[in-house]
Amino acid sequence: FAGKLIQRKGLDLLFKAYEKVQGNKQVHLLLMGNGEMDNELKKEVAERKLKNVTFLGYKDEKEKWAFYLASDIFVFPTKFDVWGLVVNEAMLCGLPIICSCFAGAAADLVEDGVNGYIVNPYHIDEISNKINFLFENQMKREAMRIESLKRISLYTIENSAKGFFDAIDAINH
């Protein structure tokens, strides 16, 4: 996970899903970011006795890429996000995405079952099942990794500018 440690990011939901996954010794939850809920979330991890959870704190533009690249899956359980630029960043690093249906980026960037999964973050079993499935299926992770890289490669400044001009042209005709 990467983002602000605030209520709407859905970390409480992620912890519930991770609790169902943590029996798998290979699983480690990395939380990149800081925010007003930092201490509260650390307390929740301790109370739930969640293992292998690391709060990385804020990482600047130079540092954050190493953590994306060290990961196998990106989970974004937001309760609401207009977009969610962290999804773009994770895809740029070739990660399969498990993305909340309440993130604007989900509809444009994630093709369900192709480069990740779009989930309802309130459906805890759905999230934990997707995490387990991807950890148990290296070939699926690899296929999704390739698809994430393909899809995000289309999101360039040039393509954005072309889309803008095409829209203006369509209005004028």
Side-chain angles (χ1 to χ4, degrees):
F1 171 87
K4 282 278 199 197
L5 303 184
I6 57 177
Q7 182 63 36
R8 74 176 167 86
K9 295 298 182 173
L11 290 168
D12 56 328
L13 305 172
L14 178 57
F15 290 164
K16 289 176 185 175
Y18 181 72
E19 195 168 31
K20 294 176 176 251
V21 172
Q22 74 175 348
N24 182 339
K25 302 295 185 220
Q26 298 173 346
V27 178
H28 196 115
L29 180 58
L30 300 176
L31 303 168
M32 188 171 24
N34 60 6
E36 62 193 41
M37 293 186 67
D38 199 343
N39 290 332
E40 184 180 330
L41 292 169
K42 288 176 181 173
K43 183 179 174 186
E44 185 176 347
V45 165
E47 287 172 357
R48 288 182 173 277
K49 297 180 179 161
L50 299 177
K51 298 174 187 165
N52 299 322
V53 177
T54 303
F55 287 83
L56 299 168
Y58 172 79
K59 299 297 175 194
D60 67 24
E61 286 300 313
K62 291 180 182 177
E63 298 173 303
K64 68 182 173 183
W65 302 105
F67 294 99
Y68 282 121
L69 291 168
S71 300
D72 294 304
I73 299 169
F74 184 75
V75 184
F76 190 56
T78 188
K79 296 173 182 177
F80 171 77
D81 257 281
V82 172
W83 184 257
L85 190 58
V86 292
V87 176
N88 297 63
E89 293 174 348
M91 288 175 63
L92 190 59
C93 292
L95 292 175
I97 308 296
I98 298 174
C99 187
S100 166
C101 60
F102 302 118
D108 288 336
L109 296 180
V110 182
E111 187 173 347
D112 200 55
V114 177
N115 71 314
Y117 298 103
I118 299 172
V119 298
N120 183 326
Y122 295 96
H123 296 169
I124 305 305
D125 286 340
E126 182 181 15
I127 298 170
S128 63
N129 289 342
K130 298 299 184 193
I131 293 170
N132 276 325
F133 175 77
L134 287 174
F135 266 103
E136 293 167 3
N137 292 280
Q138 184 176 353
M139 288 178 61
K140 185 65 171 176
R141 280 197 322 271
E142 180 61 18
M144 286 185 167
R145 182 188 77 76
I146 292 166
E147 287 300 321
S148 278
L149 289 168
K150 276 188 208 174
R151 291 181 72 83
I152 203 64
S153 71
L154 301 175
Y155 286 80
T156 64
I157 292 172
E158 295 80 14
N159 284 347
S160 294
K162 181 183 180 318
F164 181 73
F165 288 118
D166 289 348
I168 292 171
D169 193 41
I171 291 170
N172 291 328
H173 287 100

